[in-house]
């Protein structure tokens, strides 16, 4: 019996080879045709055809020469940065930060804007995206995707915001308005989820498929990564750990009224500032709550033995939420992030790890974030880049 021929197989193989070559160029930098052939296992002829195909489509370009033995120097090729751009946006209650990256991942433009004096979220995002692209020297038409990290719930079905505690003007219908305004794909994602994406890519969770990230800042949140994928839940509420009904705080009966939920009352910035004051650590009330609370925690860590009682109390409180999560999911790793989680460092993480092991049957390793700078923005850019590379690199065969 003759083997059944699969229609389109040569086309599929070309597409797979093209994608593999592009990934190699991104990972290893400029390569010659011969080197591309060696690394992909393709013949010299096939590798040369591949490079010509990618060059014709504007995805790679010649960037130099490599001297060899006899004969002419070999041409070096690299992914053409300007073949596509993405914009990541970190939306907070006080400011919006946007960054533009080319398809290689290089961040080439960045802007920051206050949101205090405006009630027009579409205008705020429009200005941030346009200015970020402009500072990168990119035409808005070349921006293939915008990913916005925002507090609150994002509906997994519609992609729209359904509830944002700190952003009352952000509402259902905003996604469609932004897509129409910018005329490009726009995606909302929970900010803590994006921090976990960045942590998995280049932070403390790198190489770990299953972990949870606990965000402790002005508010408290949780991201769940299972099998290398974010878990959103049926309504996008997976990880809203602030609403855990834990002992030691009143439990509001109606979350829609924006009453501060129980676990948030125990470990949010206001609570941390109160714990710091009780243990004799001055708190700058004029600063943003998350910043002031983080400074107090940092002072407790620096104080050595004098700061241990405060850190012990904070760890006991945090462990209630971490333990509740870990007895359900049993992850091997917990990452403490956010301004307060980062400020506590290993001193706080070790205490939380010890306390969780003391009150449950699970023993996850608890560590501090490996990304001290703008993890939400990093995660937004990474999410946008992954999607756009799939679109651009996956369509290399006409």
């Amino acid at each position: 019996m003759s083997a059944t021929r699969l229609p389109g197989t040569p086309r599929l193989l070309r597409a797979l080879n093209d994608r593999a070559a592009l990934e190699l160029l991104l990972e290893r930098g400029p390569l010659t045709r011969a080197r591309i052939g060696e690394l992909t296992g393709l013949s010299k002829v096939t590798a040369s055809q591949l490079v010509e195909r990618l060059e014709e489509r504007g995805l790679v370009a010649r960037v130099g020469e490599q001297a060899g033995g006899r004969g002419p120097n070999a041409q070096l090729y690299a992914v053409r940065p300007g073949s596509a751009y993405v914009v990541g946006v970190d939306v907070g209650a006080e400011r919006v930060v946007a960054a533009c990256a080319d398809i290689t991942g290089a961040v080439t433009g960045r802007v920051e804007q206050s949101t205090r004096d405006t009630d027009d979220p579409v205008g705020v995002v429009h200005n941030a995206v346009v200015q970020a692209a402009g500072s990168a020297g990119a035409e808005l038409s070349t921006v293939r995707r915008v990913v916005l990290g925002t507090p609150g719930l994002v509906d997994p079905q519609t992609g729209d915001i359904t509830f944002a505690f700190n952003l009352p003007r952000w509402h259902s219908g905003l996604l469609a308005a932004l897509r129409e305004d910018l005329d490009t794909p726009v995606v909302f994602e929970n900010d803590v989820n994006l921090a976990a994406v960045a942590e998995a890519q280049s932070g403390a969770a790198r190489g770990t498929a299953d972990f949870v990230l606990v965000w402790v800042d002005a508010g408290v949140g949780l991201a769940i990564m299972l099998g290398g994928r974010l878990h959103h839940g049926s309504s996008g509420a997976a990880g809203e750990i602030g609403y855990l009904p834990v002992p030691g705080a009143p439990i509001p009966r109606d979350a829609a009224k924006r009453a501060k939920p129980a676990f948030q009352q125990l470990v949010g910035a206001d609570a941390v500032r109160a714990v710091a004051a009780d243990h004799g650590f001055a708190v700058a009330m004029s600063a943003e709550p998350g910043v002031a609370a983080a400074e107090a925690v940092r002072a407790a860590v620096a104080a050595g033995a004098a700061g241990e009682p405060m850190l012990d109390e904070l760890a006991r409180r945090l462990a209630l939420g971490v333990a509740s999560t870990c007895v359900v999911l049993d992850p091997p790793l917990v990452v403490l992030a956010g301004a307060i989680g980062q400020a506590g460092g290993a001193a706080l993480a070790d205490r939380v790890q010890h306390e969780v092991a003391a009150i449950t049957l699970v023993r996850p390793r608890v560590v501090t974030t490996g990304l001290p700078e703008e993890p939400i923005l990093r995660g937004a850019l990474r999410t946008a880049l992954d999607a756009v590379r799939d679109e651009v690199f996956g369509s290399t065969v006409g």
Side-chain angles (χ1 to χ4, degrees):
M1 180 181 296
S2 62
T4 302
R5 291 189 63 188
L6 298 177
T9 298
R11 175 190 177 100
L12 174 61
L13 288 175
R14 285 197 301 270
L16 292 174
N17 289 338
D18 289 355
R19 179 64 186 262
L22 289 164
E23 295 288 355
L24 277 171
L25 288 170
L26 285 174
E27 180 183 351
R28 303 205 180 196
L31 297 171
T32 64
R33 296 188 185 200
R35 186 60 177 151
I36 291 172
E38 292 173 6
L39 293 172
T40 57
L42 299 174
S43 68
K44 291 183 179 180
V45 172
T46 302
S48 292
Q49 292 172 343
L50 178 154
V51 171
E52 288 174 5
R53 192 161 59 239
L54 296 179
E55 194 173 15
E56 288 173 2
R57 293 183 173 273
L59 294 178
V60 303
R62 302 179 191 187
V63 295
E65 296 181 345
Q66 184 179 75
R70 298 177 180 177
N73 292 340
Q75 296 290 326
L76 285 166
Y77 294 85
V79 172
R80 192 169 68 83
S83 56
Y85 291 89
V86 300
V87 173
V89 186
D90 177 5
V91 180
E94 302 289 331
R95 62 174 189 153
V96 166
V97 181
C100 182
D102 62 41
I103 202 166
T104 70
V107 176
T108 51
R110 184 184 183 281
V111 296
E112 184 174 330
Q113 295 182 351
S114 171
T115 58
R116 295 178 183 177
D117 301 323
T118 180
D119 58 359
D120 176 18
V122 173
V124 167
V125 174
H126 174 93
N127 290 337
V129 170
V130 169
Q131 290 181 26
S135 65
E139 296 289 337
L140 194 58
S141 61
T142 64
V143 175
R144 297 286 294 261
R145 182 166 295 238
V146 177
V147 173
L148 295 100
T150 174
L153 306 187
V154 178
D155 188 322
Q157 303 303 317
T158 67
D160 222 333
I161 292 176
T162 57
F163 179 76
F165 189 92
N166 293 325
L167 298 171
R169 298 182 185 90
W170 292 66
H171 51 76
S172 181
L174 182 58
L175 181 62
L178 285 169
R179 286 174 173 172
E180 181 179 0
D181 177 79
L182 293 169
D183 192 28
T184 196
V186 177
V187 177
F188 283 129
E189 179 58 273
N190 175 267
D191 52 1
V192 179
N193 282 345
L194 291 179
V197 168
E199 206 75 54
Q201 194 249 334
S202 57
R206 187 173 185 179
T208 305
D210 298 342
F211 71 94
V212 297
L213 181 142
V214 181
W215 184 268
V216 195
D217 206 297
V220 58
L222 177 83
I224 304 166
M225 193 76 76
L226 299 175
R229 298 173 63 89
L230 286 170
H231 178 69
H232 294 91
S234 62
S235 65
E240 291 296 327
I241 195 175
Y243 288 89
L244 273 177
V246 293
I251 301 173
R253 303 295 299 180
D254 189 353
K257 292 182 178 177
R258 296 182 181 273
K260 191 175 291 186
F263 189 54
Q264 169 74 22
Q265 294 178 52
L266 284 183
V267 299
D270 291 341
V272 175
R273 292 194 297 183
V275 170
D278 289 344
H279 287 83
F281 290 93
V283 178
M285 300 304 293
S286 60
E288 293 181 14
V291 174
E295 289 176 353
V297 171
R298 199 171 288 111
V301 173
E308 290 182 359
M310 175 187 161
L311 295 174
D312 289 342
E313 172 64 19
L314 182 55
R316 280 192 293 269
R317 294 182 177 211
L318 277 171
L320 294 175
V322 174
S324 298
T325 300
C326 291
V327 293
V328 175
L329 299 174
D330 193 16
L333 179 69
V334 175
V335 180
L336 296 184
I340 295 169
Q342 180 182 330
L348 180 60
D350 290 348
R351 283 172 165 80
V352 173
Q353 178 173 310
H354 175 79
E355 187 66 16
V356 169
I359 63 177
T360 70
L361 297 175
V362 296
R363 295 176 175 271
R365 185 165 62 96
V366 182
V367 300
T368 310
T369 175
L371 299 174
E373 299 293 333
E374 301 186 322
I376 297 168
L377 194 62
R378 287 179 180 227
L381 288 170
R382 171 51 51 185
T383 301
L385 280 168
D386 286 346
V388 168
R389 286 173 180 172
D390 281 343
E391 293 170 2
V392 176
F393 293 173
S395 60
T396 56
V397 178

